[in-house]
């Protein structure tokens, strides 16, 4: 157990639907990151939050949004889902300037 | 724009031999580098790091080398073991930004 908890582990949904992925960071870590890993692709950075505020944005689609709550857990919202959104979504947390600790990921399948 | 590149998608090595995984980067502002290991159905796990003030960092069987002038780092695993079979990602950051840029990964297979 890495200390970073992601739920659900698996999600199957239809095109056009909306889903919410949840992440609880490791205790004490203020930064949360979301990454997408599609088939044969590396880890693509989506977005970073630090202590509730958006810190950096990567290749995140407009259909996707995220937030970090006062208790530091984070949610990634994916809407108007397309087949190409099927991927592994990882959350990671870190202390300031430190290495990331990743969760085990949510596997999203859009059918 | 892929700022961190791992040009070898896969690598096979005999058990007991050395595994060398390579990583190149384009941004000269990167000054902190990590290697992660990922097994199927699991999240990446931190393996070893190196700061730009060093050119080598060693942890047991794992050694990371950094060549700043060539913008190149490599991970050496000696001796390789079957349990090392996994996908290895390198990642780089600018210390102030704290955002890590990841390579596309190299799948290592260690043959018993």
């Amino acid at each position: 157990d890495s200390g970073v908890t992601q739920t659900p582990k698996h999600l199957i949904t239809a095109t056009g639907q909306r889903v919410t992925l949840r992440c609880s960071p490791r205790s004490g870590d203020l930064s949360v990151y979301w990454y997408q890993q599609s088939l044969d692709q590396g880890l693509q950075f989506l977005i970073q939050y630090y202590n509730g505020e958006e810190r950096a944005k990567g290749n995140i689609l407009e259909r996707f949004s995220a937030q970090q709550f006062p208790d530091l857990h984070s949610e990634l919202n994916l809407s108007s889902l397309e087949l190409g959104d099927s991927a592994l979504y990882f959350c990671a947390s870190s202390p300031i300037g430190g290495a990331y600790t990743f969760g085990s990921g949510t596997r999203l399948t859009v059918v | 724009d892929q700022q961190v590149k791992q040009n070898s998608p896969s690598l096979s090595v005999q058990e007991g031999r050395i595994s060398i995984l390579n990583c190149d980067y384009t941004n000269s502002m990167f000054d902190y580098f990590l290697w992660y290991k990922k097994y199927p159905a699991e999240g990446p796990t931190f393996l070893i790091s190196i700061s730009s003030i060093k050119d080598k960092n060693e942890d047991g069987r794992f050694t990371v080398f950094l060549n700043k002038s060539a913008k190149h780092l490599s991970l050496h695993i000696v001796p390789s073991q079957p349990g090392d079979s996994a996908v290895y990602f390198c990642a780089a950051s600018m210390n102030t930004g704290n955002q890590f840029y990841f390579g596309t990964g190299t799948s290592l297979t260690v043959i018993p």
Side-chain angles (χ1 to χ4, degrees):
Chain A
D1 180 11
S2 67
V4 177
T5 304
Q6 286 189 249
T7 56
K9 289 195 183 304
H10 303 277
L11 200 48
I12 301 175
T13 190
T15 55
Q17 295 298 304
R18 172 190 169 95
V19 297
T20 297
L21 312 183
R22 183 187 168 101
C23 170
S24 294
R26 205 176 52 158
S27 178
D29 288 351
L30 299 180
S31 284
V32 169
Y33 310 81
W34 287 97
Y35 281 80
Q36 178 193 56
Q37 185 184 21
S38 302
L39 195 63
D40 294 333
Q41 297 288 315
L43 292 160
Q44 298 295 319
F45 171 68
L46 296 178
I47 198 163
Q48 175 198 356
Y49 278 83
Y50 175 79
N51 202 22
E53 299 288 327
E54 183 183 302
R55 172 66 70 92
K57 229 172 184 176
N59 298 322
I60 186 166
L61 300 172
E62 285 191 14
R63 300 183 286 108
F64 296 0
S65 65
Q67 54 185 326
Q68 187 179 27
F69 295 86
D71 66 352
L72 301 178
H73 91 270
S74 178
E75 292 181 357
L76 179 67
N77 300 296
L78 314 176
S79 61
S80 302
L81 284 167
E82 302 174 359
L83 295 178
D85 297 328
S86 296
L88 268 169
Y89 291 85
F90 287 104
C91 167
S93 72
S94 78
I96 297 174
Y100 291 5
T101 300
F102 281 87
S104 56
T106 293
R107 180 173 292 281
L108 173 66
T109 303
V110 182
V111 297
Chain B
D1 178 28
Q2 193 74 25
Q3 298 191 57
V4 179
K5 300 176 184 178
Q6 294 176 257
N7 293 319
S8 298
S10 62
L11 175 68
S12 290
V13 171
Q14 285 291 135
E15 181 178 3
R17 306 293 292 267
I18 184 171
S19 295
I20 300 176
L21 296 95
N22 294 303
C23 179
D24 297 293
Y25 60 96
T26 58
N27 191 335
S28 58
M29 298 294 290
F30 287 147
D31 58 6
Y32 187 49
F33 305 88
L34 308 176
W35 283 93
Y36 280 84
K37 179 166 74 171
K38 184 182 180 303
Y39 293 117
E42 294 182 13
T45 55
F46 170 73
L47 196 55
I48 193 168
S49 66
I50 189 166
S51 163
S52 61
I53 62 173
K54 291 185 165 185
D55 54 18
K56 176 182 174 181
N57 190 26
E58 195 170 350
D59 183 2
R61 296 185 298 112
F62 301 91
T63 303
V64 56
F65 295 92
L66 175 62
N67 183 334
K68 290 186 291 293
S69 61
K71 296 193 185 70
H72 177 84
L73 66 155
S74 61
L75 175 69
H76 292 209
I77 307 173
V78 184
S80 302
Q81 299 173 353
D84 297 329
S85 297
V87 177
Y88 290 78
F89 292 96
C90 66
S93 82
M94 290 168 270
N95 200 34
T96 52
N98 200 34
Q99 173 194 336
F100 281 93
Y101 296 83
F102 284 80
T104 50
T106 296
S107 177
L108 173 65
T109 302
V110 180
I111 304 162

